[in-house]
Amino acid sequence: EKTVGIIGAGIAGMAAGIRLANKGYEVTIFDGNDYPGGKLTELRLGKYRFDAGPSLFTMPDYVDELFRISKKDPKNHFSYKQLSNTANYFFDDGISLQASANPQLLATELEDKLGEPTANTLAALKHSSFLYDHLADLFIHRSLHDVKTFFNRQAFKAYKVLHKLDLFRTMHAANRQRFAKDKTTQLFNRYATYNGSSPYLTPATMNIIPHLEFGVGAFIPEKGMHQITESLFTLAKESGVEFRFNSPVKKIILKSGKVTGLRVNGQDHPFDNIVSNMDMVATYKRLLPDTKAPARLLNQPKSSSALIFYWGIKKNFKELDLHNIFFSGDYQKEFDHIFSKGDIYADPTVYVNITSKEVIGDAPAGCENWFVMINVPHNSGQDWELLKVRAKEHILTKLSGVLKTDIAKLIEEEAVLDPIRIESKTSSSQGALYGNSSNNRFAAFLRHPNKSRRVKNLYFCGGSVHPGGGIPLCLSSAKIVTSYFPDLH
Ligand code: FAD
């Protein structure tokens, strides 16, 4: 049983391909697009280059490890640097601050600018580190669908401190109690958006996320985020993985409850094993129409999506950094709009990512490449044309007000990405960025497993299955999938 067909050349599909090729399998990856990387792609507008999807890189070791198992030194193939400043934050009342990656410097800045006692910030980061130490192994690095996951040393370590894992209140409730100032609460609440959830709904256990930035570190590849895709694509090809682009898979072919191949462009390709990197809702609906789908897992509420304006800006802004946040004046109302009303709040939090601050050549001299993103609901049939027009006005009002410059006049290139296009380009159900939301405390247990329980030799990786969305978790899913395959060497 040597051959593997992978559906999708997203980062998880490519990582699974690299790992399986290294175990001695013959791997072919099919992608409907004419490029690899799925959501992790790039865009060129005139003289500007943009990373089109993810902008924050954490846990780089998941990428490095793919080189190491391929007997290559990652340093020679994939270079990235650690950020000393995680983000610049701007509030409507004129207060702004720099969130250093160094906990002590961050705590001092929050005291200076917001009046937050340093002890509170340091205690919050210590707690985040504690959560990571007790939960990462259980919820990120392993399958949650193997009994043995729950009977090892790491699992028992978590059970012993169950009461401290903060499962029974929301992230906001915990942060409001922890911090003296509303602005600090808002800053730490923002980490819920790292997996497309609401701080007012997601359990406080998600306070594990700040540790990724302040403990493990935030990074940027030397040539921008798209370098992750390029490096993995090259490594996969060098490992012997075959790629077929413009090749949308139309069917997973089964015989007696076992996979036998894939139907692509009207042709049947036999395979012993199939790994789907396609969104799992779409996999069941479109490729396995005759297989009983696990309805409960498929129907879980989806994460938020995004509306992104890619703007070529003909000016340099010294007050801006690689990551910049312009906060909403009412965060709770913003999330209420996204998750309860399925709408966009008139005063959204605006995220501006400017890779030209770090990557030479991403914008012409004197100019910057702005990736301007707001969190929006996943697609449930809203009038996106209307929402985009309104959102652009609100974003321009906010940015122009805080930066005291008419931003509209500086835009010389523009492209837009909305939830409908995210879904059509990557199959992501309802255009969600991170698969299911984590807006309830059972979410981790309601993601689809990495190995099918119904169909023999069918596996799943990527942001819509366990352990969840985001680059590190997708790469972890590929590692978990591969652990089911015996080494053929
Ligand atoms: P995807 O990227 O979802 O790709 C799936 C691939 O499968 C696509 O190439 C698609 O063409 C292919 N495919 C689908 N169906 C078929 C078929 N039937 N036949 C053949 N091919 C098929 N993560 C972070 O870590 N940090 C961030 O800052 C961050 N920001 C984000 C911002 C945006 C705007 C978006 C969209 C996402 C962001 N994410 C971020 C999430 C991250 O991009 C995703 O979790 C991750 O890239 C998903 O990878 P994946 O392997 O699941 O595949």
Side-chain angles (χ1 to χ4, degrees), residues 64-81:
D64 285 348
E65 195 181 47
L66 295 169
F67 288 95
R68 289 199 300 273
I69 61 161
S70 308
K71 312 270 181 302
K72 291 181 201 286
D73 184 349
K75 286 198 195 75
N76 298 335
H77 300 273
F78 180 64
S79 41
Y80 53 87
K81 72 173 197 185

Side-chain angles (χ1 to χ4, degrees), residues 7-13 30-33 35-40 52-58 225 247-250 277-279 286-287 306 308 310 371 373 417 422 425-428 433-434 461-464 468-472 474:
I7 309 162
I11 44 162
F30 298 88
D31 202 292
N33 293 330
Y35 55 87
K39 296 184 180 76
L40 215 174
S55 53
L56 179 69
F57 185 33
T58 51
M225 296 297 285
S247 300
V249 174
K250 288 289 154 70
N277 177 211
M278 183 183 183
D279 183 278
R286 294 194 229 148
L287 309 190
I308 299 158
Y310 307 91
F371 163 110
M373 174 178 140
L417 182 69
I422 293 174
K425 280 172 73 182
T426 66
S427 84
S428 198
L433 300 194
Y434 301 96
C461 64
S464 71
I471 299 166
C474 289

Side-chain angles (χ1 to χ4, degrees), residues 394-423:
H394 294 147
I395 291 170
L396 284 171
T397 305
K398 187 163 198 84
L399 295 180
S400 302
V402 176
L403 295 170
K404 300 190 175 54
T405 312
D406 184 351
I407 299 298
K409 284 203 176 127
L410 300 174
I411 302 173
E412 59 172 0
E413 298 285 352
E414 180 180 72
V416 189
L417 182 69
D418 62 28
I420 295 186
R421 189 133 171 78
I422 293 174
E423 176 159 18

Side-chain angles (χ1 to χ4, degrees), residues 79 96 99 119 127 142 163 180 189 283 392 395 477:
S79 41
S96 65
H127 178 67
R142 286 173 191 269
H163 57 292
N189 277 354
T283 304
K392 183 172 170 181
I395 291 170
S477 74

